[in-house]
Amino acid sequence: MSDRTLALAAGALTVLGIGIAGYLTWVHYAELSPVCVGGGGGCERVQNSEYAELAGVPVAVIGLLGYLAIAASFAIRGSNGRLAGAFLGLVGAGFSAYLTYLELFVIDAICQWCVANFAVITALAVVLFVRAAR
Amino acid sequence: MNPARRNQLLAIAGFALIIVVALIVISQSGGDDDGGGGSGAGGLSLAGIEQRGNALGDPDAPLTMVEFADLQCPFCAEFATGGALAGIVDEYVRAGDLRIEFEPLTFIGPDSVRAARVAVAAGEQGRLWDFVDLFYENQGPENSGYADDEFITRLLERIEGLDVDRVLADREEGSVTRALEQAARRAEDAGIDSTPSFLLGPTGGELEPLAVDSLDFGAFEGPIEDALAAANG
């Protein structure tokens, strides 16, 4: 796979991630319930849980800032930018994995948006890590 | 891949792991800062028992019981203050075998709504169960308007470590409204049509309706023991 393909994939996944995290940030501050396919209160339950904030900051905001930081790393030329992107991707994927664990085994509810975010950040971390390894 | 690049990648992977672990520690300690066990200002001994949101007990307890209750409901008060809940808490919650979630329903009237909003807001500081216990101990005549700000504030002020002003402000938040809507939906999904009603099962697993023929501790003891034996394999 060419570097250009990897860069395009990373860009597309970052835009997707910013969309998801941006939407969840918006519904948080607008005090709305996220639209969930097939209904169900999973998203609300997750959003209202005590784990929806980290040190008082909504995790959606943290996710949005993370994606924006990854986007900013694309502007850094050379290996430093790639290493920074890979680092941010790994942190995002790791923390998202923890939040998914909480949904499954602690909160006992699944938010489709969070699962989608987990898939996006995991794929993004892989792409960014492969780019950095080249 | 040259060794220098490999070392750089290993270093960022290791550093990323450290950051993730730190984030998890912050996340886990966040609830404890707000909760970590109420004072038990009412008749229920809650000291040293973890509270998070609407949940009482160890999050990793093998069993979860959900209580659907209206704060104005006299039978709910009987369950809460008549010894059954105290027995369950002392025997199973304190031992780490059971966690209990309180889902406030508000079908009786406006006093139920006012009380439930405060309970959820107190839960945001890890003190829902303290408030619920005090409320049931001081429960007044249904829909008499007794659950006004003066009454509510008096109860809240008895709860050690609670930011009363914050509770009174938070009770109007949309998050509280959503929690009540969610409780109502959960009750509807479970086919709950009276209070108190209970669900019981393995934590994180399928919870089943718990039908009891009385609100005495003995009526809960058998089903909890059976569920515990099943959960522990």
Side-chain angles (χ1 to χ4, degrees):
Chain A
M1 193 177 288
S2 72
D3 190 61
R4 181 177 162 75
T5 306
L6 287 172
L8 285 173
L13 288 166
T14 303
V15 169
L16 199 56
I18 288 173
I20 293 171
Y23 172 70
L24 291 175
T25 299
W26 174 65
V27 297
H28 177 88
Y29 285 110
E31 298 193 344
L32 300 171
S33 297
V35 175
C36 278
V37 178
C43 289
E44 284 178 49
R45 192 163 179 76
V46 172
Q47 196 185 28
N48 290 332
S49 79
E50 66 268 35
Y51 299 104
E53 292 188 349
L54 184 72
V57 181
V59 291
V61 172
I62 294 170
L64 181 59
L65 292 175
Y67 281 115
L68 291 173
I70 288 172
S73 76
F74 296 152
I76 303 173
R77 295 283 173 197
S79 65
N80 284 348
R82 294 182 179 211
L83 287 171
F87 169 73
L88 291 166
L90 289 175
V91 170
F95 190 59
S96 187
Y98 162 70
L99 293 176
T100 304
Y101 159 79
L102 289 177
E103 287 184 51
L104 289 170
F105 300 108
V106 178
I107 303 170
D108 196 20
I110 287 291
C111 172
Q112 295 150 11
W113 289 96
C114 308
V115 174
N117 178 67
F118 177 51
V120 169
I121 190 63
T122 303
L124 182 55
V126 170
V127 171
L128 292 172
F129 197 81
V130 169
R131 276 195 85 206
R134 290 190 165 198
Chain B
M1 191 188 305
N2 66 55
R5 174 51 58 93
R6 192 185 59 214
N7 288 342
Q8 282 180 326
L9 291 172
L10 284 174
I12 65 158
F15 190 43
L17 184 64
I18 291 169
I19 297 295
V20 170
V21 170
L23 291 173
I24 291 171
V25 169
I26 293 168
S27 170
Q28 291 287 333
S29 63
D32 291 342
D33 288 346
D34 274 346
S39 59
L44 200 58
S45 174
L46 296 170
I49 302 178
E50 184 172 352
Q51 292 190 48
R52 280 175 176 266
N54 71 340
L56 176 73
D58 184 352
D60 295 324
L63 286 186
T64 290
M65 183 169 89
V66 180
E67 178 191 0
F68 294 92
D70 189 312
L71 283 159
Q72 284 207 89
C73 150
F75 293 111
C76 304
E78 183 187 331
F79 167 74
T81 62
L85 180 59
I88 293 169
V89 167
D90 287 342
E91 194 70 28
Y92 300 107
V93 177
R94 197 171 287 284
D97 292 327
L98 176 75
R99 58 189 287 279
I100 311 178
E101 294 176 7
F102 184 86
E103 293 288 18
L105 304 181
T106 57
F107 63 91
I108 294 180
D111 281 325
S112 306
V113 179
R114 280 194 288 272
R117 295 192 78 91
V118 173
V120 174
E124 292 179 0
Q125 295 183 49
R127 294 290 186 272
L128 176 145
W129 286 85
D130 298 73
F131 175 75
V132 166
D133 182 40
L134 277 171
F135 194 95
Y136 279 133
E137 282 204 335
N138 295 277
Q139 194 183 61
E142 281 185 19
N143 292 332
S144 60
Y146 71 100
D148 56 14
D149 278 6
E150 188 188 340
F151 175 83
I152 296 275
T153 304
R154 205 165 57 237
L155 297 186
L156 291 173
E157 284 174 347
R158 291 174 58 189
I159 301 173
E160 190 185 328
L162 186 75
D163 184 339
V164 175
D165 290 338
R166 195 175 129 200
V167 171
L168 295 175
D170 287 351
R171 65 181 165 168
E172 304 301 336
E173 293 288 334
S175 60
V176 171
T177 305
R178 286 196 295 275
L180 295 182
E181 290 170 350
Q182 180 187 302
R185 254 197 311 275
R186 195 178 187 190
E188 191 180 337
D189 291 346
I192 302 298
D193 56 7
S194 64
T195 55
S197 285
F198 306 91
L199 303 177
L200 179 67
T203 298
E206 191 74 18
L207 304 183
E208 299 289 341
L210 169 60
V212 287
D213 51 16
S214 82
L215 292 173
D216 298 328
F217 171 60
F220 292 84
E221 202 176 6
I224 292 174
E225 287 288 352
D226 291 345
L228 201 53
N232 289 331

